[in-house]
Amino acid sequence: MPMRLTLTSIALAATCLAFAGPLLADSAEPKRPECIAPAAPGGGFDLTCKLAQSGMLDAKLLSKPMRVTYMPGGVGAVAYNAVVAQRPTDGNAIVAFSSGSLLNLAQGKFGRFDENAVRWLAAVGTSYGAIAVRSDSPYKTLNDLVKALQENPDKVVIGSGGTVGSQDWMQTALIARAAGIDPRKLRYVALEGGGEIATALLGGHIQVGSTDISDSMPHVQSGGMRLLAVFAEERMPEAAMANIPTAKEQGYDIVWPVVRGFYLGPKVSDAEYNWWKDAFDKMLASDDFAKLRDQRELFPFAMTGPELDTYVKKQVADYKLLAKEFGLIQ
């Protein structure tokens, strides 16, 4: 009789564990999923969060919808510091980043925290830098703009996301250097991301926007904006982008991909981190997500977990070398 009780107990325990397995696996799912866009609405960080929001919803990877919140300031610095210092264990919140975030990290623009301060989670796509003007601008080509800058670099007002040394600044600085112009003589207006750049450009407050193609395409398609160049290896295959010339074909050998992705706080548990990683792996592998990414004018770039961590650390190291070339850091 005792033996039967023991076997029964073991069988019941096994059954309970079998049923508990999925529940335990799901226990790491965020209860209040949130994507923080570290800029004002309407720019690339907003686009990145909403892409993940839609992708997770469509794939039914989250049982609760993910909200998008905005934390502008320092082109990512405010959000980075807030998550590391105030919400380090919050497994609910993923934060959008881009190549521009990594460039700022390389220059120490995120304060006392460096690229080792967070848990890099997933990269979901890439865009490319671009130079935008209003559709009625006198600058029809990149060379038109360069000639104007050579004649009087102080006369052309360029809007960029962030100050000297930012990703947008770097794009025009590379053009200026190739054209024999001192980048520090260019006239910049520092703005908070692609949304503000578009607003300022369309409103006539700036003459040129140093931005990226994903932020710009809605305004290009509505007829308010024209792109003088995209910083890609070759012209984009999409019909709406096919007529946009690259900087390379206009004589400027500059390629600037803008990778977009997410990170988590530094003390988020392994279980919560792995839940998010698995969810992104599933989402990135789906055809439905590929369609969503294409609709947002992003191109394939899928990387998660340790592979992304390695990529980020190498990019930051490369950006440090570039920043030294321009005298931005010692």
Side-chain angles (χ1 to χ4, degrees):
M1 185 69 176
M3 180 63 72
R4 284 205 300 271
L5 283 173
T6 303
L7 290 173
T8 302
S9 300
I10 292 171
L12 284 170
T15 303
C16 289
L17 283 172
F19 280 106
L23 294 176
L24 289 171
D26 290 341
S27 66
E29 180 182 346
K31 304 297 186 293
R32 300 177 304 281
E34 173 188 6
C35 185
I36 299 173
F45 290 134
D46 190 10
L47 178 149
T48 307
C49 275
K50 286 178 178 172
L51 175 60
Q53 181 188 50
S54 298
M56 292 277 173
L57 179 67
D58 289 356
K60 296 181 174 56
L61 293 167
L62 283 166
S63 56
K64 295 180 180 177
M66 181 162 62
R67 63 193 175 106
V68 176
T69 58
Y70 302 93
M71 197 180 292
V75 194
V78 169
Y80 199 85
N81 280 263
V83 167
V84 175
Q86 298 166 24
R87 301 171 65 176
T89 63
D90 189 353
N92 292 289
I94 61 173
V95 190
F97 80 90
S98 73
S99 298
S101 311
L102 307 185
L103 179 61
N104 285 343
L105 278 168
Q107 297 172 66
K109 288 188 174 184
F110 282 10
R112 60 195 174 100
F113 299 118
D114 64 12
E115 66 275 14
N116 300 300
V118 299
R119 302 194 72 174
W120 301 100
L121 176 62
V124 296
T126 188
S127 181
Y128 292 92
I131 299 297
V133 295
R134 271 182 25 160
S135 57
D136 59 358
S137 170
Y139 310 128
K140 306 298 182 187
T141 67
L142 189 56
N143 282 320
D144 289 342
L145 174 59
V146 167
K147 286 176 185 175
L149 293 172
Q150 287 172 329
E151 291 171 5
N152 191 345
D154 190 52
K155 189 177 179 182
V156 181
V157 183
I158 303 169
S160 66
T163 56
V164 170
S166 70
Q167 172 172 257
D168 295 339
W169 180 89
M170 191 66 75
Q171 292 175 170
T172 48
L174 289 166
I175 290 174
R177 185 173 70 174
I181 305 166
D182 182 354
R184 294 184 178 274
K185 291 184 178 179
L186 300 181
R187 186 178 172 189
Y188 284 97
V189 174
L191 299 165
E192 190 66 40
E196 287 193 7
I197 291 172
T199 299
L201 184 63
L202 296 172
H205 306 295
I206 59 175
Q207 293 154 287
V208 177
S210 183
T211 181
D212 78 58
I213 196 167
S214 298
D215 291 350
S216 306
M217 283 310 296
H219 306 289
V220 170
Q221 291 174 309
S222 67
M225 191 183 288
R226 184 171 69 252
L227 296 183
L228 300 183
V230 59
F231 296 111
E233 287 284 356
E234 54 190 24
R235 290 198 184 198
M236 302 290 98
E238 282 73 6
M241 300 180 182
N243 292 326
I244 301 169
T246 65
K248 287 187 73 170
E249 71 185 72
Q250 297 178 79
Y252 302 89
D253 191 9
I254 302 165
V255 175
W256 195 276
V258 185
V259 172
R260 300 198 174 278
F262 304 94
Y263 62 84
L264 283 160
K267 296 181 180 179
V268 169
S269 71
D270 288 344
E272 290 170 312
Y273 178 88
N274 289 330
W275 188 95
W276 278 110
K277 180 187 179 300
D278 290 346
F280 272 104
D281 284 337
K282 290 172 185 172
M283 185 183 80
L284 289 165
S286 74
D287 291 338
D288 287 341
F289 177 76
K291 292 173 185 175
L292 281 175
R293 185 191 60 223
D294 291 346
Q295 288 168 7
R296 286 160 176 78
E297 315 296 352
L298 287 175
F299 301 91
F301 190 97
M303 198 176 283
T304 63
E307 185 184 13
L308 177 64
D309 185 78
T310 299
Y311 172 84
V312 164
K313 305 296 173 54
K314 183 177 186 306
Q315 283 297 104
V316 171
D318 290 346
Y319 287 148
K320 283 180 181 176
L321 295 176
L322 185 61
K324 285 179 182 177
E325 285 181 29
F326 280 95
L328 300 171
I329 58 174
Q330 297 301 314

